[in-house]
């Protein structure tokens, strides 16, 4: 089990990849972000984006899934209080194959709770051309001294 | 159509409300954030959260839907480059009835593109007890001088 003391500034974890389909973009956007350029391919083609793009919250959620599968599913995760500087830099489009990258920026043990610490990481979702499509700085709590 | 010049610092838009069901929390989390406290009611009960809680990305997405229905669906929206200070302050749990609040913080016309401007807003998702569960500062682009 990955825990607080296993993370060190500078470490880079390459997470897995995810093929983004048009059906998935439409499903997410119809539920949570029904703007024309997310739910209507024709309107999207006429928009400044020139075609359908994924909701920014969808692309962030895809990063989250890659992060859970690649790190949190084998870590003593204790949740997150939030993220900074969430940036939607390059649209995510149908057919894109995106992948995640998690870079440890800073670690700090909790001064009040000896059983945990905070890991600050740069989280990036890259597309098949190596462009960073989404990035943010996340703060996560991890257990310390967890047996096993 | 709401456009850039309709937004003024200090304006408060009360958005609609949304009842969060356990089924919806499980569906979102199974797809995007399958941590035990989001997908497994028993494991969640034994976790520090004391029960099932919605993924933070799910609660942000719920805000987005309320924002689209309450504002963007009748606005000349041109997308968003990102958000600052996304905070998950109070867990969102099954049965919660959440509502959105959009407070205009700052507006600035684009210096390069006369057809648009940026609106910075404080976005808050409140629960039925009036607690702010999620908050963030969003930057959005809106058209200026749009006919109609």
């Amino acid at each position: 089990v990955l825990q607080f003391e296993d993370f060190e500034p500078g470490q880079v974890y390459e997470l897995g990849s995810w093929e983004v389909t048009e059906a998935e973009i439409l499903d997410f956007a119809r539920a949570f972000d029904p703007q024309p350029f997310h739910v209507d391919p024709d309107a999207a083609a006429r928009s400044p984006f020139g075609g359908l793009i994924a909701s920014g919250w969808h692309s962030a959620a895809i990063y989250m899934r890659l992060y859970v599968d690649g790190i949190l599913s084998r870590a003593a995760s204790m949740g997150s209080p939030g993220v900074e500087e969430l940036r939607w830099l390059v649209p995510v489009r149908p057919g894109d194959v995106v992948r995640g990258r998690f870079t440890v920026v800073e670690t700090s043990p909790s001064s009040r709770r000896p059983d945990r610490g905070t890991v600050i990481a740069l989280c990036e979702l890259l597309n098949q051309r190596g462009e960073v499509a989404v990035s943010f700085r996340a703060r996560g709590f991890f257990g310390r001294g967890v047996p096993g």
Side-chain angles (χ1 to χ4, degrees), chain A:
Chain A
V1 172
L2 277 173
Q3 42 185 314
F4 172 72
E5 47 268 54
D6 294 316
F7 293 100
E8 287 175 23
Q11 286 174 339
V12 178
Y13 292 81
E14 297 291 349
L15 309 176
S17 67
W18 178 296
E19 183 171 349
V20 184
T21 65
E22 177 172 301
E24 179 195 352
I25 288 176
L26 295 172
D27 280 352
F28 188 100
R30 284 174 187 143
F32 297 112
D33 194 351
Q35 299 187 76
F37 41 81
H38 297 317
V39 296
D40 180 340
D42 293 331
R46 295 187 305 269
S47 80
F49 300 110
L52 203 68
I53 64 171
S55 168
W57 298 104
H58 184 194
S59 42
I62 290 172
Y63 180 89
M64 188 68 206
R65 176 58 187 263
L66 298 172
Y67 175 43
V68 172
D69 289 352
I71 295 182
L72 292 183
S73 60
R74 56 190 176 96
S77 165
M78 302 172 80
S80 165
V83 314
E84 312 296 327
E85 293 174 32
L86 173 54
R87 291 286 175 277
W88 295 302
L89 300 165
V90 172
V92 172
R93 298 177 187 274
D96 277 0
V97 178
V98 294
R99 60 193 166 86
R101 189 162 63 197
F102 178 92
T103 303
V104 181
V105 173
E106 191 184 326
T107 66
S108 55
S110 170
S111 50
R112 291 175 304 139
R113 313 277 302 256
D115 67 335
R116 67 190 65 182
T118 300
V119 174
I120 298 177
L122 173 64
C123 301
E124 295 169 301
L125 190 74
L126 297 95
N127 65 21
Q128 66 277 10
R129 291 179 298 278
E131 298 164 333
V132 178
V134 181
S135 76
F136 57 93
R137 217 151 25 86
R139 195 174 281 267
F141 300 133
F142 290 89
R144 293 179 72 184
V146 182

